[in-house]
Structures are given as C-alpha cells and as structure tokens.
Amino acid sequence: MSKAQENVKAGILYPGDQVPLVLLPDRKTLFSHRADRYRSLAPAHDGPSDLLLFLAALADAQHLALGQIPDIAPSPAEQIRLCAQHGLPPLGAQAIRPGPEWRTALRQIVATFDSLPLPPASRVALSRLAEMDEAVLDTWALALLRGVQQPVDPALAPFLAAALQVYWVRMAAALEEDGLHRLEAPGLCPVCGSPPIASTLRLESHLYRSRYLHCSLCATAWHLVRIQCSHCEATDGIRYQSIDGHFPAVSAETCEKCKTYIKIMNMEKDPELDPVADDVTSIALDILLGEAGWRRTAINPALLTQEE
C-alpha cells in the first residue's frame, strides 16, 4: 500500500495526496450497471422484488435513451470559468430550463416500456404520459427540479425523473473535470447544484477509501473528507449507525448539529454496489432513522411515489 493510500485509510489527506475533486459520470456504464445491480439485489431484498425489477427495467430504459438522444452542447469554457468565479454550478438545475432533448429521452423510456409486460394501471399511466402536452411536461419537469412534487402525478414522477437524469447525465459527461470547482454552498454537486443521494468509500487504487458524494440528478461524484457532515460541514457530533446483520456495506453518517444524515457505502465490502440502487434496498435504515428524528436532504428519484 502506498503512503497516500495509508494516509487516506487513516482519514488524513496531505497536499501531495490530493484526489480528484470530481468524477464525471460514465455514460457507457452508469445505467446498465445500475440495472444489473437492481436485478442482483432483488432475490435477497426484504421488500417486494417487483419494485427492484421495475427499477431495473427503468435503468435499462435510461441506458437506451442516453445512447439515442441527440448531443447536447456542453457549457463553453468561459461559462464554466465564470460559474467557478461566482461559486455557481455550470449546469445548475435551478437555473437551466431543460431543452427538448429531455422529452426525447422521456419518449424513448416510454417506448421501451411499451414492449414490456405491465399491470393495467401502469399501462394506463404510460398511455397518459405519451399523450400529454409538452408544456405540461415541461412544467412538471421544472417542479421536480425544484424539489416540488405538486402538481406532478405521482404515478408518472419516476418516469419524468428518469428522463431528467438522462438529460443531465448527458450534459455532465461532456464536461471536462479540469475547471470544475467546489461550490460555496456545502454539500451540493459542483456540476448541477443538486444534493447528494449517498456517499461511497472508493476502492480504486488512486482513490482508495476516499469519500465521494453522488449527485441525485447528474450522477457526478465529488470528494468530501470523511467524518464531516455533507449538509452543514460540521466535524463534531458525527456518528455512524447501521442495522446489525443487514446491509453490511451501508451505514448512515448522522450529524448532531443539523440532525441530518447521509448513507455512506463501503466499496471495499461490496465492489459492485451502486449508490442509487443500494439506497433503495436499504430503505429500512431510512425508516429507523426517520423514526428517531433524523432527516435526509435528498429524495431518491426512484422512490418518489413512496414519499409522503
């Protein structure tokens, strides 16, 4: 093990050991790996396996859509520089109105599901979605991007969120990592400004046990030191909670100062984990933490219909 790896394993980072701030999404493998992960977890899942198999199909549809939507022009270097200068994300979800490509992705996702066996209620919902006015779809998309679930039909929300993820992943994957900067607001994605859905301890040799937060929208990962709250940046009052005998690679990092938590997933214990899929399958941990008064800062788009 190198000295840098030893330092990272001990939770120490010296100037010569710095890891990359940003890991941009790999458009070739992101959604296909997620689909495979859902399918591999389904047999052992405590809850209904139908949900995981549906989400696997949705991730497969996202993979196909990502490969078929037109190229989206990346942000020019000057825009990225100005955003960095002012502490703003170059692909800010709160500032960018999604272009028509997101609806192209949505249509592709709906078309993929047309060929799958679905319950009658789901078939009716998808038929409605295919016939909806573009202006209504855009209004609903903006609502989801702002974290507002009204007036979005909850039966359609996962499909809309999936298409928006495809759109933002397409743009994020076209960026260059050089020039991206950490935002002034703590714990927000440096590419699109969205909150993280979970964090991982990496396994790659050059990143060994470095902690990365994973964006809930564009799938960018960005570095954050360990034992620090991703929401308020506190370093005191950090605790780790898990369920004995369940989800061995997943624990929750809780913060006494702001009463929030984020899951932290150890890839050394399970190299195949996916932050979105493993977040879904460890929802029992969320239930226990919620009952104890802890709050998470990002909704998993895959569970939009499960939210209150």
Side-chain angles (χ1 to χ4, degrees):
M1 183 181 294
S2 69
K3 182 62 176 177
Q5 288 177 330
E6 292 175 356
N7 290 338
V8 173
K9 189 171 185 179
I12 303 169
L13 278 175
Y14 294 112
D17 303 333
Q18 293 299 324
V19 295
L21 167 64
V22 169
L23 304 176
L24 293 172
D26 183 346
R27 55 179 293 193
K28 295 181 179 179
T29 62
L30 174 68
F31 292 119
S32 59
H33 175 264
R34 183 165 300 161
D36 290 342
R37 182 62 173 173
Y38 277 126
R39 278 188 283 267
S40 70
L41 291 170
H45 184 43
D46 291 337
S49 61
D50 287 352
L51 172 61
L52 297 192
L53 294 178
F54 164 78
L55 293 174
L58 187 59
D60 280 332
Q62 287 179 290
H63 177 71
L64 290 173
L66 185 58
Q68 295 189 22
I69 64 172
D71 288 344
I72 303 171
S75 299
E78 179 63 13
Q79 178 181 333
I80 294 176
R81 187 190 69 78
L82 289 174
C83 285
Q85 181 179 336
H86 296 284
L88 299 172
L91 303 178
Q94 300 294 317
I96 293 178
R97 188 179 183 93
E101 296 90 351
W102 93 269
R103 282 185 262 104
T104 301
L106 179 61
R107 286 192 293 271
Q108 176 61 52
I109 291 171
V110 170
T112 300
F113 272 83
D114 278 343
S115 62
L116 300 177
L118 292 173
S122 298
R123 183 66 62 198
V124 170
L126 284 175
S127 296
R128 289 176 47 227
L129 187 56
E131 297 171 358
M132 286 188 63
D133 182 79
E134 291 184 351
V136 174
L137 289 175
D138 286 345
T139 298
W140 285 10
L142 291 175
L144 289 177
L145 291 170
R146 287 159 176 73
V148 179
Q149 295 183 41
Q150 296 293 337
V152 183
D153 184 334
L156 306 182
F159 298 99
L160 302 177
L164 290 170
Q165 284 180 321
V166 168
Y167 180 81
W168 253 269
V169 167
R170 185 72 178 82
M171 290 192 295
L175 295 175
E176 297 289 339
E177 293 176 359
D178 293 342
L180 296 173
H181 295 265
R182 197 180 304 276
L183 302 185
E184 293 180 4
L188 295 181
C189 174
V191 170
C192 73
S194 299
I197 200 161
S199 63
T200 59
L201 299 180
R202 307 293 295 195
L203 185 60
E204 301 93 327
S205 60
H206 65 297
L207 305 174
Y208 184 67
R209 289 185 67 82
S210 297
R211 179 200 193 181
Y212 279 81
L213 306 177
H214 291 260
C215 180
S216 55
L217 179 62
C218 74
T220 294
W222 69 102
H223 180 254
L224 181 70
V225 297
R226 295 161 61 185
I227 319 178
Q228 181 179 33
C229 177
S230 63
H231 183 62
C232 73
E233 297 187 307
T235 54
D236 294 327
I238 303 297
R239 301 289 184 270
Y240 296 90
Q241 305 189 41
S242 59
I243 303 177
D244 290 341
H246 295 271
F247 327 119
V250 181
S251 60
E253 182 182 79
T254 60
C255 174
E256 291 285 351
K257 180 179 178 181
C258 66
K259 295 299 180 181
T260 66
Y261 73 92
I262 189 171
K263 289 177 184 173
I264 185 164
M265 304 176 182
N266 190 343
M267 299 189 73
E268 195 168 24
K269 294 183 177 180
D270 191 340
E272 297 303 317
L273 64 81
D274 174 87
V276 174
D278 285 76
D279 180 49
V280 172
T281 54
S282 59
I283 193 172
L285 181 57
D286 294 277
I287 293 172
L288 292 177
L289 290 167
E291 291 174 347
W294 301 101
R295 175 177 60 88
R296 64 182 288 164
T297 56
I299 295 173
N300 188 326
L303 295 174
L304 279 172
T305 58
Q306 308 298 315
E307 298 295 326
E308 296 293 335

